[in-house]
Structures are given as C-alpha cells and as structure tokens.
Amino acid sequence: MAGFLQAGGRAVVVAIDHPLYTWPVPGLERRSELIEQVVEAGADALIASYGTVRDCRAVFGRARAILKLDVTVVSVREYRPAARLGADAVLTLVELGTEGELAALASAARVAAAADRVGLPYVCEILPVASPAFPDPFAPAVIAGATRAAAELGAHVVKTAIPSPPAGIREAVDCGVPVLLAGGEPAADRKAYLAGLAEALSAGAAGVAVGRNVWGGGDPAGTVRRLASLVHTGRLR
Amino acid sequence: MAGFLQAGGRAVVVAIDHPLYTWPVPGLERRSELIEQVVEAGADALIASYGTVRDCRAVFGRARAILKLDVTVVSVREYRPAARLGADAVLTLVELGTEGELAALASAARVAAAADRVGLPYVCEILPVASPAFPDPFAPAVIAGATRAAAELGAHVVKTAIPSPPAGIREAVDCGVPVLLAGGEPAADRKAYLAGLAEALSAGAAGVAVGRNVWGGGDPAGTVRRLASLVHTGRLR
Amino acid sequence: MAGFLQAGGRAVVVAIDHPLYTWPVPGLERRSELIEQVVEAGADALIASYGTVRDCRAVFGRARAILKLDVTVVSVREYRPAARLGADAVLTLVELGTEGELAALASAARVAAAADRVGLPYVCEILPVASPAFPDPFAPAVIAGATRAAAELGAHVVKTAIPSPPAGIREAVDCGVPVLLAGGEPAADRKAYLAGLAEALSAGAAGVAVGRNVWGGGDPAGTVRRLASLVHTGRLR
Amino acid sequence: MAGFLQAGGRAVVVAIDHPLYTWPVPGLERRSELIEQVVEAGADALIASYGTVRDCRAVFGRARAILKLDVTVVSVREYRPAARLGADAVLTLVELGTEGELAALASAARVAAAADRVGLPYVCEILPVASPAFPDPFAPAVIAGATRAAAELGAHVVKTAIPSPPAGIREAVDCGVPVLLAGGEPAADRKAYLAGLAEALSAGAAGVAVGRNVWGGGDPAGTVRRLASLVHTGRLR
Amino acid sequence: MAGFLQAGGRAVVVAIDHPLYTWPVPGLERRSELIEQVVEAGADALIASYGTVRDCRAVFGRARAILKLDVTVVSVREYRPAARLGADAVLTLVELGTEGELAALASAARVAAAADRVGLPYVCEILPVASPAFPDPFAPAVIAGATRAAAELGAHVVKTAIPSPPAGIREAVDCGVPVLLAGGEPAADRKAYLAGLAEALSAGAAGVAVGRNVWGGGDPAGTVRRLASLVHTGRLR
C-alpha cells in the first residue's frame, strides 16, 4: 500500500519539514546536502514541504518523498501537482486535545479520501497533546485511541508518539495500519532513546519517522544507519 | 430502494463507527474479527467509517456497508470514492435541539440530494436531544416530528430513538420511509430492552441499528441472532 | 414562463412543506392522501420539500411541483436533481426586516440566475416581518416594495402576504411579474378571509398559495374547489 | 472597450437599479415606461438589476444594459447568464472608508478579471464616504485616489462622485480609464447642478451616470436630452 | 526558472503597485510615462497590479510583468487571465509577525502550487514586521528564516528586506532560491543606501525590487541605470 515501506513492512523516515514554521533549525541549513547524506545512509523516505520536494526531488534518489500538506496544500485540487512533482505519499498533522482538533480531523479525512482518488498513500501524523482531555498524552490507551481514529478516517500509515512504556504501542498497533514512531524532542539520553525505540519496534511498530533526533545533533548519517539497523534487522549496531 | 433491507423491508444493522470519536471502546478493539462474527450471525448491514469500509470491505461478506459521513466526508465530491470503495449507502447524524441542528439538517439535505445523484440510499440518523425545545425527547410526537423531517429532506431510511412507550413509533412510521430503531446506551435490563424492541417492531418499525448493545457486552454473535429472529420473524429466540 | 399558471395566468397553489420545520402539523400526517385530494379538487401546483417531490411526484398527477429550496438545496449544483426528480419550479423564502434578510436576498438572486440557467421558473416567497424597518408589514407600500425587490432580483413569480386593505395589492402588481397571495395564519373568520382574497384577486393578484387554510381545517378538497372557482372564474361557489 | 461609450468616448447613463434596495422610489413605479422614455430621449445605457435586464431588455432598444451585480450576482459562474440575457457590461459598487471596503475591493477585482474572461466591460462605481479615513470625501485628491484604485484593480470605466470643486476631476481623469460622474442626491438647485456637470466634463470626465436626478423629478425625457446635449456637444440646451 | 532574471541570475525590478492601496503617490501619477522611462533605463521587470498589466503591457517592452495578486486575484481560476494578459510571473505579500501571517502563508502556498500548474514563476515577498515574535525584524537570522519559509512553501524567487548588516543576507541566500532586496522606505542617505545594496549583492543577493526609492524622488531613469550597473556589473556608476 505505502510504497515507502520496505518488503518487511518497515521503514526509516526522516522528517525535514521544520523550516516552514521555525528558524533557525540547526542541522537543516542546507537541505540538499542533508538529504543526500541521509538517503545515502539508508533513509527509506523523507517528510518534506512542497518547495523542498519540488526543488530537491532529484536528490532523494531511491528514497520516497512524503509531502507534508497542512498550510501548504489545502484543497483536493492540489494533489495533481503533488503527484506531478514526484511525491510518493502525503501527510497531515492532527493534534488531539487542542482547539483545532476537529478541523484537523475533518481535513485529515478529506485528504485521506482525496489521496485514495489519486492513488497516493496518506500518512496521518496524530499526536495527543497534554490537555484536560489528555492529562497523560503518552498513556498507551491514549496513543491507541489516536492511531485507531486515524485508521477509522482512512490513514494508510500512522505516525504517532512513543507511549510510556514503549511496549504499550502494542495496543495501538491493533488499529490495523502500520504505525511509525515520531522522534519528538531531541533526546538527552541517546542510549535510553534507542532502547525505547527497540522496545516499541519489538512490540509491533513498523518503523520510525524522526527529525531533530537525526539531524539536530552531529552525524546524521550515522544515526540513520543505526536506525536502519534497528528497524530492519532488530539489532542496534 | 435501500438494498440492505431484506425482502420483507426489514433489517438488522450493526453500528461500529464509534472509535473515530472515542476510545477505548470495549468490544471493538479488533474490528475485522467483530465484523466477521456479526455478519456470520446474520447482520444485514454495518454502519462504519471510511477507513473501516475501505480496509475491511471484504470481511463484510454478503452484509452491506453503510458509510458514516459526518467528519469523514464533507462534500459531494467524496461520494465517488464512497461508491468505489464498496459502500452501499451513506449515513449522517442530526441531533435535534442542539446548537448544530440547522447545519446538520442542511448537511443532511445536501447529502440526500448528492446520494440520489450517484444512486446510493441515504440513511438519516436523527435524534431529538433533551433541550428547551424537546423537554421530553422520547415523546412519540417528538420522534414522529424527527422522522418526518428526515423524510421531507430526502432520507431513504431513518434511524431514530425508540419512543416511550415503544408502540408510539406508530406515529413516526407514518412518515413514509422505513424507520430503524437506534440502540442507544447499553441496556441495564436486557429483557426489558428486547421487549421494547418487539413492541416497536410490531408497531411498524423496519428494524434495528444497534452498536454497544450488540458488541458492548459478551456474545455479540448471539445478540445479533436474537435481533435477527426478532426483526425478521417477530419471535424472540 | 411559469408553467403552473393556467392559460389565464392564474393559479391555485397548495403549500405542504411545513413538516420539515415543525411538528405536529394537523392535516398533513399522511402526505400522499392529502396530495391526491387537493390535486383531484383542482390544485394547479404544490409547494413541497425535496423528499416529498422525489417520493410522491407520481401522486401529483397533472399538478406541478414547486420545490421549496432553503435548507434543502443550497448550491446551484443541486438543480440538476431538481429537474430530474420532476420539479417544475423552485422556491425560496425571504423574510424582510429580519437579521437574515441580506443573506436571503443574495440567495434568492443566486437561485433566480441558476434557475434561468436550467430553464426552471423561480418563485420568490417574500414576506415583510413586523420590525423596526417595517412597523406595519401589511401596508400596501411595504408589500409593493417586497414584490418589486423580488422582480428586480429575478423572480418569475412572487408569493407574498395579502396587504391591508387587500385591494392595496394593486401597487404590488405593478412590479411586472405575477403575484400569488400567501395563506398565512389559519383564518378565524373564513368568510372574511375569502372576501379579502376576492378583493385582492380583483385588484390584480394572479392567484393564491395556501397551506394551513387549505388542509388545517376540515375538507381540504372543498376548500381547494372554492379557491379554484374564485381564482379562475372570479366567483365564490 | 466599453461599447456604451459613444464614438467620442462619452456617454449618458441612467441608473434605475434602486428598487432592489428601497421602496417607494417615486418615478420608478413602472420600469418599462421609464426605460422607453429615457432611451427615446437619448440615454446611451442603463444601469439595472438582473430581473430588469432579463425581463425588459427588449425595451432598451439601442441603449446598452449595464448589469448591477452586488447582491444579485456573486460568483463568476453567473456571468454566463449575464451575457445570455443581453447585458453589455457589469457594475459593482465600492464604498471607500466603510467597514465593507476591503471585501468590496476584492469583489471588484474578481469581477474585473471575470468580466475580462467573458469579454464584458466592467464598470466600477467607487465612492469615498465621509469617515475618519476620508473627512472630506469630495476632495479632488480623494476622488482621484478612488478612480486610480479602480483602474489598478481592472475597471474599464469608473463611476464616481463629482469632486468639489468639479474641475478637480482633472486629477482623477489621469487614472487612465474613462470617468463617469455619479448623480447622487437629488439636486436642490438644478442650474448649479448642471453648471457643475459642465465644469467637470470640460475638465475631462467622460459622461454622467444619473438616477434620481433624471427620474426623481418631473420630465425625465427632457433631463436626459439636456444631459445628452451637455455630454456630447458641451452645450447646455 | 524565473524569466525576468538575466543570464547571470540577476535582476533589477521596479515596483509600481502602490496606488491600489494609497493615494497620492508622488511620482506615480502617470503610470505609462513612468513605465516607459524605467524600462528604457534598463529595468528587467515591473511589479504591477492587474489593471496596469492589462492596460499597459505594451509599454513594458522587453521588461517582464510580475503581477501582484493579493486583493486583486484570489483564486486559482484567475491565473488564466494572468497568463492571457501577458504576466510573466505572479507575486503575493506575506508579513510575518502580523495577525494575518498564517492566512498569508497559506495563500502563498496555494499561489505557489497554482503557479506551477500554469507554468508561471511565483515571487514571494516576505517581510518580518516589528512584533513580539520579531523584536528585531532586520536581524540576519530573522530574514533568513523568512526566505527559507518562502522556499519551503514553493517560491521560485523571494523578495525580502535588507538585513542589518546587509552582508547578513548571506544566511538568507542559503535558502536555495534567488533573493531580491526590497527597497522599503525612501532612503534619507542615498549614498549609504546604495553602499548597503552593494554589500548585500556581494553577499549573494540576486538583485533588487524597488519602488519609492526609484520613482519617489527625482530622476527615476537615472536611479534605474545606477541600480542596473550595481546589480549586473557590481559597479556603482
């Protein structure tokens, strides 16, 4: 279904869409160089904005392009350029427990249906946010509710936060579509971070979709290689 | 008109669209397994969200798929995927006496007309809600007003609450289109619940459309079999 | 232009669109039976909602169907089903002096132009409402302003209230399009009501468009026959 | 460009679109008769609403029809009936210094572009209104700013107020498109009114677009003849 | 990509779109004459509103027309007239740190994608505004964030403010698309202004897009010649 998943249904995805919203973004100053490095190191796909996909698609090489929509593409009509510019999938973000939740869900549903019409997989990034509705946004049942909502509205792949404990992702995986683990805030303790990923992958997660934890510190290529080993072979190199 | 009604114009419908809005939903953790069970037990149709219809349509077997629209499909353009993904009917929800009443009625009317254009039956789920306009939302005249409004705006089938007393559904049935009885809150007294259904069915209701009262307790398959017997033969097994 | 007007440019229209908004509506419980009676008695056309036109068109016989739009049809795209389902004209309601006045006028204008595009006559029901702008909503000049506004924005036929005195309709008739007299509240004094109609018809009104005063009391067929005699021959039977 | 301008690039336009918004409008009670009179007397064009253009186009004779859009036509799709019903140009109103200014400018721009698409000239009626932004709405620089804004957004012809002094129109005429002088409030001193018109025409205005000052007093035909003499020959008859 | 860039990827652009929003605009009273002067003096392109491009395109000669959209063109449908009327590129304005920021970004993204569909380059004018989010809107990192956001959402060329110090534009130039330097407020010290431009051009800016600093003082032609020398040869004449 989602072409960026490897044969085993697993994927290492690198997110580089941050500069549309924030700056400076240390590590992302030169997008082409970074793309080249992470693709070379084994990234299966990148999440990027419209301008980056259009202008740097050639640099992606064999990696797939997941077009982040949100502000940059708002109506169904926009999908045709998406396909034309070489996007292999589309993604929108839903933050549960926020004021914009309902609009984001409706938008996600429209995108899912529209993506089906043009034959592109839709990745729903769905993140519970600390709020009266979700006092503990990392509780396994909360994460599971998020992934199930995404599956119900038509996502082909879900990207969500790692629950606490990470093995709690098992409940979320029951939603019936592949679940990618978001990277989130830069990890202070790298070892613990990777151990958590390993635990969640063992519990059924299909892969990772990481940004700052790949390119925010030094050696993005090395980090991608470590993630690829973990995701595709289950071993930490 | 509505293909999910059996030869006698009657139907047992199971609703499984709850996880789009709420979680956990005990009994619905694994949608495919549940669908298989209730279809095997005799469900004529299921009410499900976009993602579930798209991904699990094959499991429905001979049961029909009623696509719940609301947040998941908002414009007329979306009907084509509806048909393509194997939906046999579409449904929207109208809550009378709430702030969103007028918008929901207008949306229902648009969906009814659009459904006619593509040849899909439209099921209008219309529920009076306790409010200044409806101090007694289960009064037979209130339920009858709801079903008539649905018929006027173009529903092919109406799903509404069981009035009190259940035989009061007779007035609602005069609206001219088949009326299905919603399941509502899980029944504390199962026997009384089934007796009420039997009374309403005798008074002219065309069938039931039940969710939590099927899969919220144990033995969903047994419950469907009991409902099917009641609806199609008038006998409680 | 408006095919439901008889050779003499006159018409008896019965409105049965009330149950979309209110219930109970004594006299309208069973729509098919009532339609049959009033058509048999000589009604030239009926004003009905989408669901009623679609489901009962065959019962209309030689009477024309005027589709009430408002909540039930909101965009130009909807006209095609209108024509397909056998509507002979479309109608929207404008209440002058209310908060929604401007939106209703704009909607009326859009409907008028859209109706021209598909070749359907547009009936504008335009009613001044007691308000700071219209302290006396039945003053002949107020009614005349309403019919002229309707003519300016593109109505082919206008339905409005009977002014006081009824002969004051003469000023309204100058607007250049046929004017139908709305029935309004059930008349306490039936004789006075019919005398008023007769006076307004003599002064140039093209006919009547009556609801509750036809089917709200007993003998709808007899009332239609009396109205038909009055409208088409000028005689009270 | 604008076919209603005579060979010399000048025009006498009569506005009769008032009854859509206000009533009674003394002098406009019977639209057909008035149209006939002013056309016979030499009006080059009339500004009228949708219903009037559609129903009375034949009476216009050799005079052109300028369709007033605003409330009556809101989207680009509506232009096709405009052309079909015999409109030779379209017009919208912008009131500068009011709350609706920005929306009216955006609408004017859309109409200008849409009119170009179907080959109809667009007349922008743009009037500064006394307000904090325009304490003196008749100052020549204010009127000049209005006509230039209209030219920038794509008007083919501008209709605006006569500045004070009238010769101040010279600055406005530099905007590069023909400028018509609006009639405004009925003039108390007819002679002074005509002298002002003469002064503004000498300073470069292309003509007049007058309503109440034509048909609000007696003898509309005589007034049109006087205006035609003034506009086309520069002489007051 | 952007045809108005000279062979060396550099351009002198003159902005003349001011009269749509403000008046008087000393120096822009007669648009045709000014266009002729600056084109003759070597302007590579002009930024102008819809009416000016449509009515004065012939005067542009070999200079390209960059159509300023904003209020004047709001939907994708409008691009066809843009191309038809001879526009070579389109431009919208985003002011960061203002209330309208998000809407302007979304609009910019839509325009970028729509421009790709019809093959027109999109110029994003993006200006940080003094605000809580940007206490120093001319800081190099702030300007760099602006140009990178524009590149991410799909701009082919960016127009932004000169940072302080001007050489700080180097960080912004890394965004990957050509950066034009906006003219801004009329410079009090002309010499210092040109020295700043020279510094920013040396640091990688692709050219200038200047309005008031060209035609707001005397000798617009001379100013354009000086800018052209600076931009295309790196020498101040």
Side-chain angles (χ1 to χ4, degrees), chain D residues 9-35:
Chain D
R10 301 207 142 204
V12 172
V13 178
V14 178
I16 59 170
D17 59 316
H18 304 61
L20 181 51
Y21 309 100
T22 180
W23 193 262
V25 183
L28 268 190
E29 289 85 356
R30 293 158 177 275
R31 51 186 179 180
S32 284
E33 280 87 335
L34 180 77
I35 295 169

Side-chain angles (χ1 to χ4, degrees), chain C residues 1 76-77 102 105-106 109-110 112-114 116-117 141 144-145 148-149 151-156 171 174-177, chain D residues 16-21 23-24 28-31 48-52 54-55 71-74 77-78 80-81 84-85:
Chain C
M1 176 84 63
V76 170
R77 297 172 190 276
L102 188 62
L105 284 169
R110 272 196 302 273
D116 277 336
R117 275 206 288 289
R148 180 64 179 260
E152 294 279 333
L153 59 77
H156 296 97
E171 189 180 341
D174 277 343
C175 73
V177 301
Chain D
I16 59 170
D17 59 316
H18 304 61
L20 181 51
Y21 309 100
W23 193 262
L28 268 190
E29 289 85 356
R30 293 158 177 275
R31 51 186 179 180
S49 66
Y50 181 88
T52 298
R54 187 191 65 198
D55 295 343
V71 90
T72 57
V73 183
V74 291
R77 299 172 188 276
E78 322 294 328
R80 252 168 261 157
R84 200 188 55 205
L85 61 87

